[in-house]
């Protein structure tokens, strides 16, 4: 069909040309043949070329027109034609041809320079745009309101804030700072470069603002994590009678998610529905993410279920919503649904699901997800690989974690890989191995970061390695010239406190360069509980109640200390404070995997289908343990009731129910593995030691802090936790 584009077309067509076979002719060809015929304009006239160029819709004919034009010399005398050719070339993806034409004809006419700059900017060739602009500048060719918007666009895309600022100076120097298009481009550039305050200054001085500018500012605030200001601007925009479009709606949804504002999330959703934006997949996905970030997973699920078309982002948004809000079981169920859907899980999905398994301590499902990843030949990047190691360690399978770690990753281990493995050893109480890995890491030339030190200090703490921990803390400052963070101090206080060095811990807090936070005081309070030091505990608690007045866990911990020393009056006072502030003890929850299913138990749970059998088993176990010499430790029962009642309350702790369920259901010899969301209590800890001895059963409990491996009457934590 390109045969039609021969030079013969540039001569007046004969009458026969009207009888051209129309169906075989592309519409635009038909158009200009028509044009020639009826207007009888000479093709030796630039106006005819102009028409030809306008109707040309692909590269080949464009090249032919260009070569015909070259013979006429029109291009040199008519920059309009040259500009059209440049624009067309870049539109059809041949910026090289556009550039060589430009180089041949550019001269000092800013019109052609602007055309080439725009051509580059429109196809995203930012470097070329900026390079051309600087050549233009050097040659003294004046930039104008047709130059700046495109140069600023390139700066915005590349986040070149200094480049953008120097363009801004140029804009002011040349007097284009009140041009609406230039102003809009400046606002957009500053917003995208994260210089939102500079953007705001330009925005505030604008005489006329369109929606594009409002959107740029609203998005800019949201991207700069200044969600509240983003929403204030939205309401100002609405006051000016402008309606948020779908692009703005996405930013607003994200801002509301950042703020976790449940009420506003509903009104954003309503706005989106009212304006019919939900058909837009990006908007619909942003609504799911918004609800998920607000913690309203139910609403996220409803929004998800209502979508006619879903993509990977829709699934991943809901999955991470479940995972981040502690609904790990729901996340795993959703993953199963995704696997049989038309959308295939991607590495992001895998990362979310592997992390959910780690959170839940669900080894069986974790293994399944791992083999799914491997069998599906999914690309395992280092982040996912680290998450897999972490999952095995957190699910109690330290051996597989070590194996995966030792096998290595194709792009090598990064500092997070080492951190994950060190922390894995730490939570299982293998302090020496953690220290060994810490030195191996340095031998291999990997520089430890502040997280590494947190991991190693807590590993020392869990293993009671006081001297080694002290040395690491010293090295941190002297060898690595790093300032210890508050987290490092918290780890040190924990390490010293657990080992009974309460005074040293207290002195360390006193010498901290910044104010101690709740983590530091919490560690001291925990140590006071272990060593039954009510006086120092009171001091720590006073600070905690000031810093975190709403955190019920600290009240409970202090109550435990009072209860242990029979100060029931103080326990009662604290209970009153909790009541008046509407604080509740966080609900304990333990899970156990049995036959590919996760069974969960709350304290004194009566919702499990087999709760009566479980209760009976718990009572039998209690008798067996008593006969073996276990004395119930009632110090952690807050109620001032008779000892016998306290024992009764202890029996139905969530972790005891889960372990009893395991003993009831699982074959002999199979270790029982339970995950608890809070710290394991003293009585349960002691009870599990007895059960492991009496029943010759390995029991593994992962609590909020670490792993406890109970075997033959001992625990791997050596009673440090
Ligand atoms: Zn307990
Ligand atoms: Zn233990």
């Amino acid at each position: 069909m390109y045969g039609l584009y021969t030079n013969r077309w540039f001569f007046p067509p004969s009458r026969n040309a009207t009888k051209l076979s129309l169906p075989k002719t592309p519409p635009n060809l038909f158009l200009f043949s028509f044009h020639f015929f009826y207007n009888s304009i000479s093709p030796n006239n630039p106006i005819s070329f102009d028409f030809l160029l306008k109707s040309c819709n692909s590269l080949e004919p464009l090249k032919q027109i260009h070569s015909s034009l070259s013979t006429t010399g029109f291009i040199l005398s008519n920059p309009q034609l040259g500009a059209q050719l440049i624009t067309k070339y870049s539109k059809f993806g041949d910026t090289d041809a556009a550039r060589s034409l430009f180089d041949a004809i550019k001269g000092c006419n800013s019109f052609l320079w602007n055309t080439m700059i725009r051509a580059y900017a429109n196809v995203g060739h930012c470097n070329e745009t900026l390079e051309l602009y600087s050549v233009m500048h050097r040659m003294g060719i004046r930039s104008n309101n047709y130059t700046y918007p495109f140069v600023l666009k390139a700066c915005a895309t590349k986040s070149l804030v200094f480049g953008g600022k120097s363009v801004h100076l140029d804009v002011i120097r040349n007097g284009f700072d009140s041009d609406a298009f230039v102003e809009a481009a400046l606002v957009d550039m500053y917003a995208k470069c994260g210089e939102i305050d500079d953007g705001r200054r330009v925005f505030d001085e604008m005489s006329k603002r369109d929606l594009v500018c409002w959107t740029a500012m609203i998005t800019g605030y949201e991207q700069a994590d200044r969600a509240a200001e983003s929403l204030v601007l939205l309401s100002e925009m609405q006051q000016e009678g402008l309606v948020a479009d779908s692009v703005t709606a996405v930013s607003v949804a994200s801002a509301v998610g950042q703020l976790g504002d449940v009420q506003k999330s509903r009104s954003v959703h309503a706005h989106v529905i009212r304006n019919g934006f939900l058909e837009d997949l990006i908007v619909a996905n942003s609504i799911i993410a918004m609800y998920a970030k607000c913690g309203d997973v139910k609403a996220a699920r409803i929004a998800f279920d209502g979508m006619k078309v879903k993509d990977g982002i829709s699934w991943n948004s809901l999955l991470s919503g479940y995972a981040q809000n502690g609904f790990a079981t729901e996340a795993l169920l959703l993953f199963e649904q995704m696997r049989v859907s038309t959308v295939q899980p991607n590495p992001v999905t895998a990362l979310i699901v592997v992390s959910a398994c780690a959170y839940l301590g669900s080894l069986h499902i974790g293994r399944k997800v791992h083999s799914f990843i491997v069998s599906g030949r999914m690309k395992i990047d280092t982040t996912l690989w680290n998450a897999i190691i972490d999952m095995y360690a957190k699910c109690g399978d330290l051996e597989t974690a070590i194996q995966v770690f030792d096998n290595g990753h194709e792009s090598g281990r990064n500092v997070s890989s080492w951190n994950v493995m060190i922390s894995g050893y730490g939570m299982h109480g293998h302090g020496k191995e953690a220290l060994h890995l810490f030195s191996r890491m340095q031998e291999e030339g990997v520089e430890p970061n502040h997280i590494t030190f947190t991991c190693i200090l807590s590993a020392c703490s869990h293993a009671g390695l006081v001297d080694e921990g002290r040395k690491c803390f010293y090295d941190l400052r002297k060898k690595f010239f790093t300032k210890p963070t508050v987290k490092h101090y918290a780890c040190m206080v924990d390490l010293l406190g657990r080992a009974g060095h309460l005074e040293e811990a207290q002195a360390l807090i006193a010498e901290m360069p910044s104010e101690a936070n709740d983590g530091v005081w919490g560690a001291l309070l925990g140590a006071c509980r272990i060593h039954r030091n009510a006086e120092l505990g009171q001091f720590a608690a006073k600070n905690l109640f000031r810093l975190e007045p709403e955190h019920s866990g600290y009240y409970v911990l202090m109550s435990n200390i009072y209860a242990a020393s029979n100060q029931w009056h103080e326990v009662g006072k604290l209970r009153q404070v909790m009541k008046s502030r509407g604080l509740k003890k966080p609900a304990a929850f333990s899970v156990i995997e049995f036959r590919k299913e996760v069974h969960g138990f709350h304290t004194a749970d009566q919702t499990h289908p087999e709760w009566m059998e479980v209760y009976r088993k718990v009572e039998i176990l209690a008798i067996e343990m008593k006969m073996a010499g276990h004395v119930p430790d009632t110090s952690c029962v807050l109620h001032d009731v008779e000892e016998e009642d306290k024992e009764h309350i202890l029996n139905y702790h969530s972790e005891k129910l889960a372990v009893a369920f395991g003993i009831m259901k699982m074959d002999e010899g199979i270790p029982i593995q339970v995950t608890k969301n809070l710290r394991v209590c003293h009585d349960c800890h002691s009870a599990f030691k007895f059960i492991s001895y009496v029943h010759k059963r390995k029991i593994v409990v992962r609590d909020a802090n670490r792993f406890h491996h109970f075997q033959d009457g001992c625990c791997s934590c050596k009673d440090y936790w």
Side-chain angles (χ1 to χ4, degrees):
M1 68 184 226
Y2 297 128
L4 286 168
Y5 286 93
T6 51
N7 278 344
R8 71 187 165 92
W9 278 91
F10 302 120
F11 296 97
S14 67
R15 284 269 157 197
N16 289 341
T18 54
K19 291 188 182 113
L20 267 175
S21 154
L22 296 185
K24 284 183 199 156
T25 319
N28 60 333
L29 291 186
F30 167 68
L31 261 176
F32 65 78
S33 63
F34 208 68
H35 176 83
F36 277 116
F37 179 73
Y38 282 99
N39 298 306
S40 299
I41 292 170
S42 156
N44 294 322
N45 176 340
I47 298 170
S48 308
F49 280 109
D50 179 68
F51 186 81
L52 269 175
L53 277 172
K54 275 192 182 133
S55 42
C56 171
N57 64 359
S58 64
L59 190 60
E60 271 318 306
L62 179 70
K63 282 182 176 167
Q64 299 204 14
I65 297 170
H66 183 186
S67 78
S68 310
L69 267 168
S70 305
T71 58
T72 64
F74 282 158
I75 307 179
L76 280 175
S77 59
N78 191 333
Q80 288 284 353
L81 269 185
Q84 268 195 62
L85 274 166
I86 291 170
T87 309
K88 282 273 175 181
Y89 268 127
S90 71
K91 205 170 153 193
F92 298 147
D94 196 345
T95 43
D96 289 341
R99 182 59 188 257
S100 42
L101 174 61
F102 167 76
D103 285 336
I105 61 171
K106 59 188 175 203
C108 291
N109 184 338
S110 55
F111 169 68
L112 278 176
W113 286 78
N114 288 346
T115 305
M116 193 62 227
I117 283 176
R118 189 180 59 218
Y120 275 142
N122 281 344
V123 293
H125 289 349
C126 301
N127 293 342
E128 288 84 350
T129 308
L130 298 170
E131 177 241 37
L132 204 63
Y133 171 71
S134 80
V135 176
M136 185 177 183
H137 204 73
R138 273 203 305 277
M139 286 178 66
I141 301 165
R142 262 175 74 95
S143 313
N144 57 28
N145 50 339
Y146 292 99
T147 325
Y148 297 124
F150 300 100
V151 179
L152 289 167
K153 185 178 167 185
C155 291
T157 312
K158 289 258 157 191
S159 283
L160 298 172
V161 66
F162 289 113
K165 280 187 175 172
S166 86
V167 177
H168 191 179
L169 276 178
D170 205 24
V171 165
I172 296 167
R173 256 198 303 270
N174 287 326
F176 288 101
D177 49 335
S178 48
D179 180 280
F181 287 110
V182 178
E183 282 177 321
L186 279 167
V187 169
D188 185 58
M189 181 274 293
Y190 279 124
K192 287 205 174 114
C193 290
E195 297 286 319
I196 193 70
D197 293 325
D198 287 332
R200 184 59 190 255
R201 271 190 281 278
V202 179
F203 181 80
D204 284 341
E205 284 169 14
M206 285 175 79
S207 47
K208 219 178 94 196
R209 305 177 190 130
D210 59 6
L211 188 53
V212 180
C213 287
W214 285 97
T215 304
M217 281 306 296
I218 290 169
T219 310
Y221 275 125
E222 178 262 310
Q223 299 277 325
D225 289 335
R226 287 162 65 170
E229 285 155 280
S230 166
L231 295 183
V232 170
L233 207 63
L234 173 76
S235 69
E236 284 176 27
M237 180 183 110
Q238 284 165 336
Q239 275 162 20
E240 291 204 5
L242 292 163
V243 180
D245 64 3
S246 61
V247 181
T248 320
V250 171
S251 294
V252 170
S254 170
V256 170
Q258 271 179 35
L259 292 174
D261 191 327
V262 178
Q263 219 168 1
K264 280 212 174 81
S265 67
R266 307 233 181 277
S267 70
V268 172
H269 194 181
H271 175 86
V272 160
I273 294 171
R274 247 194 332 268
N275 289 285
F277 297 151
L278 266 191
E279 299 293 314
D280 184 335
L281 198 55
I282 299 173
V283 177
N285 287 344
S286 75
I287 296 293
I288 298 176
M290 171 186 72
Y291 278 131
K293 280 197 193 128
C294 291
D296 193 347
V297 286
K298 251 190 197 158
R301 182 63 195 240
I302 292 168
F304 174 84
D305 286 338
M307 287 171 78
K308 284 187 204 120
V309 185
K310 302 178 182 91
D311 65 359
I313 298 172
S314 329
W315 287 90
N316 290 348
S317 301
L318 185 60
L319 272 171
S320 69
Y322 276 141
Q324 279 160 12
N325 289 293
F327 293 88
T329 323
E330 283 78 359
L332 298 181
L333 282 174
L334 188 68
F335 175 64
E336 287 303 316
Q337 287 175 23
M338 184 180 185
R339 281 178 56 183
V340 294
S341 79
T342 49
V343 180
Q344 275 311 294
N346 59 23
V348 178
T349 322
L351 185 65
I352 300 166
V353 176
V354 166
S355 310
C357 290
Y359 174 85
L360 217 53
S362 180
L363 182 60
H364 176 80
I365 301 173
R367 269 195 199 128
K368 225 167 75 175
V369 175
H370 186 197
S371 71
F372 168 79
I373 293 167
V374 176
S375 65
R377 293 196 180 79
M378 195 183 277
K379 173 125 187 60
I380 304 179
D381 64 6
T382 324
T383 312
L384 180 56
W385 186 68
N386 294 345
I388 291 169
I389 299 171
D390 188 49
M391 179 272 290
Y392 279 115
K394 285 200 176 131
C395 291
D397 189 350
L398 191 63
E399 276 162 38
T400 309
I402 296 167
Q403 205 185 330
V404 177
F405 179 83
D406 283 342
N407 284 346
H409 187 267
E410 54 182 17
S411 39
R413 304 180 183 103
N414 60 17
V415 63
S416 304
S417 323
W418 293 90
N419 293 350
V420 161
M421 200 60 239
I422 290 173
S423 127
Y425 276 126
M427 69 179 83
H428 286 272
H430 300 298
K432 294 266 187 235
E433 285 83 349
L435 282 164
H436 174 71
L437 207 64
F438 182 55
S439 19
R440 213 180 105 195
M441 160 186 193
Q442 291 164 64
E443 280 159 26
E444 291 193 17
V446 182
E447 184 90 355
N449 61 14
H450 67 99
I451 299 170
T452 319
F453 281 101
T454 308
C455 296
I456 196 73
L457 289 174
S458 90
C460 289
S461 176
H462 287 317
L465 301 171
V466 180
D467 290 337
E468 290 83 346
R470 277 197 195 108
K471 187 184 173 301
C472 286
F473 191 67
Y474 179 85
D475 283 353
L476 161 74
R477 288 179 287 187
K478 301 291 172 206
K479 201 168 139 194
F480 294 95
F481 307 106
T482 316
K483 272 194 192 133
T485 65
V486 183
K487 224 168 178 176
H488 297 142
Y489 276 103
C491 285
M492 269 316 278
V493 170
D494 189 61
L495 168 77
L496 295 168
R498 273 172 207 279
H501 304 285
L502 289 173
E503 277 178 22
E504 193 183 338
Q506 206 186 347
L508 191 70
I509 297 176
E511 70 174 51
M512 276 179 70
S514 57
E515 205 203 344
N517 68 358
D518 62 315
V520 177
W521 291 116
L524 187 66
L525 185 64
C528 291
R529 192 193 71 138
I530 297 172
H531 300 286
R532 305 199 173 194
N533 187 331
E535 201 186 324
L536 188 58
Q538 222 168 359
F539 174 64
K542 227 171 91 183
N543 283 294
L544 281 167
F545 297 160
R546 175 175 57 82
L547 290 166
E548 291 281 327
E550 304 295 315
H551 194 303
S552 57
Y554 299 133
Y555 294 87
V556 176
L557 205 52
M558 191 60 223
S559 301
N560 281 332
I561 299 174
Y562 284 137
S565 53
N566 281 320
Q567 300 187 43
W568 296 107
H569 179 64
E570 297 296 330
V571 173
K573 275 207 305 205
L574 273 187
R575 201 184 299 155
Q576 269 320 108
V577 175
M578 284 180 76
K579 216 174 161 184
S580 67
R581 296 203 173 154
L583 303 176
K584 280 198 187 109
K585 193 180 164 185
F589 189 63
S590 298
V591 294
I592 179 168
E593 245 186 4
F594 173 64
R595 288 208 183 127
K596 303 178 188 176
E597 272 181 38
V598 177
H599 295 259
F601 296 90
H602 286 283
T603 307
D605 202 339
Q606 300 192 345
T607 57
H608 190 274
E610 293 172 75
W611 72 270
M612 286 212 268
E613 288 87 340
V614 175
Y615 273 43
R616 227 168 285 139
K617 188 77 199 171
V618 158
E619 277 144 26
I620 295 167
L621 284 171
I623 296 165
E624 285 174 353
M625 284 183 293
K626 255 195 167 164
M627 285 168 70
H630 169 60
V631 182
D633 180 351
T634 52
S635 66
C636 56
V637 179
L638 290 184
H639 311 272
D640 183 13
V641 289
E642 292 300 316
E643 284 299 309
E644 201 179 313
D645 289 333
K646 284 187 196 166
E647 285 177 30
H648 188 74
I649 294 164
L650 285 174
N651 275 347
Y652 306 113
H653 276 183
S654 67
E655 60 267 51
K656 271 205 195 91
L657 297 179
V659 167
F661 177 81
I663 291 185
M664 215 171 89
K665 292 285 181 181
M666 291 177 177
D667 294 338
E668 270 178 45
I670 296 177
I672 290 163
Q673 191 165 330
V674 169
T675 304
K676 189 189 175 187
N677 64 337
L678 307 174
R679 241 181 237 209
V680 61
C681 88
H682 270 267
D683 183 68
C684 289
H685 194 270
S686 155
F688 296 156
K689 288 201 275 190
F690 277 94
I691 296 173
S692 75
Y693 178 73
V694 174
H695 282 258
K696 301 272 166 277
R697 197 74 179 240
K698 242 177 134 174
I699 300 172
V700 182
V701 178
R702 187 185 109 193
D703 71 2
N705 251 7
R706 59 167 297 147
F707 272 93
H708 302 264
H709 296 261
F710 299 92
Q711 199 171 6
D712 301 328
C714 295
C715 179
S716 62
C717 77
K718 301 183 188 82
D719 300 337
Y720 275 116
W721 82 96

